[in-house]
Amino acid sequence: MANDNARDTDRVWDLMKKIGFAMLVTRDGDKLRARPMSAHLDRDANTIFFLTDARRHKDEEIERNPSINLSFADAGSQKYVSLTGTAVVSDDRAKIKELFSTPAKAWWDSAEDPNIRVLEITPDDAEYWDSPGTVISYVKMAAAAVTNTRPDLGENRKVSL
C-alpha cells in the first residue's frame, strides 16, 4: 500500500509539472473565484509557488480564507489533477527573483516591481485522472456503449500529500 501511495504521489507531481498551469480557486465570501496561474513546483519542499500581484483581490481572499483548490487540466491528453491545500502570501523578494522569468514580464517589468508577491501553496491532498488520451477514450466509450459496459478510461486516484 505504501508503494501505491508513493507511486500515486509521484504521478500527481509529474502531472502537475507537465501541465504547468492551474486554475487557482479561492473563496470570496460565499462565492468561489478561479483564475489561471503559472505553477512553480518544488517537490522537495512539498510546495507549489505562484507569482501574484498585490493589486489583485486574491491576496485579500487568501488572507481571509487560506484554503484553496488548484485544478490542473490537459484536456487534449485527458489528464487532470485537483489539489486542495493552504495558501500563504508573502513578500519574499529573494523567492520572487528566483521565480521571475520571461513569462512574468507580461505582467511586471522586473522582479523589483513592488507589487509582486509570492503565493505559497502547501498541498493537503489531491485527486488525479490519468487517461490514455482523447481518441482512445472515445473509442473505449463507444465500445462500452455498444456492449452496455463501463469503459476503462485510465486511473483515478485520491492521494494524501
Side-chain angles (χ1 to χ4, degrees):
M1 189 69 138
N3 287 340
D4 286 345
N5 191 58
R7 180 185 57 87
D8 292 342
T9 299
D10 288 344
R11 192 62 185 143
V12 165
W13 285 95
D14 289 345
L15 288 169
M16 290 189 299
K17 182 177 181 179
K18 285 179 185 172
I19 297 169
F21 287 88
M23 292 297 289
L24 168 68
V25 181
T26 57
R27 186 170 290 282
D28 183 12
D30 291 338
K31 296 181 182 182
L32 297 175
R33 303 256 184 237
R35 73 282 286 159
M37 308 219 17
S38 178
H40 302 270
L41 305 174
D42 186 343
R43 168 110 190 245
D44 294 335
N46 193 42
T47 305
I48 302 153
F49 295 98
F50 299 92
L51 292 179
T52 185
D53 197 300
R55 297 169 290 193
R56 305 296 181 248
H57 298 289
K58 71 181 117 355
D59 299 2
E60 299 160 7
E61 293 165 6
I62 288 167
E63 286 178 16
R64 286 191 298 270
N65 187 342
S67 296
I68 59 87
N69 172 267
L70 297 177
S71 296
F72 294 80
D74 180 353
S77 296
Q78 297 290 297
K79 298 184 185 314
Y80 307 92
V81 175
S82 177
L83 177 142
T84 59
T86 305
V88 174
V89 178
S90 80
D91 191 19
D92 181 341
R93 303 317 293 178
K95 192 60 157 176
I96 290 167
K97 287 179 184 171
E98 176 188 328
L99 298 176
F100 197 85
S101 61
T102 302
K105 290 182 182 182
W107 307 106
W108 305 282
D109 291 332
S110 73
E112 284 74 35
D113 188 312
N115 295 302
I116 303 175
R117 297 293 183 271
V118 175
L119 182 56
E120 189 173 325
I121 308 295
T122 302
D124 295 323
D125 53 45
E127 185 168 2
Y128 73 89
W129 295 262
D130 191 0
S131 163
T134 304
V135 173
I136 293 171
S137 293
Y138 284 140
V139 168
K140 286 183 173 190
M141 285 188 285
V146 169
T147 61
N148 203 24
T149 60
R150 286 189 156 278
D152 176 9
L153 298 178
E155 293 186 334
N156 170 231
R157 300 270 196 278
K158 292 182 181 176
V159 183
S160 179
L161 300 171

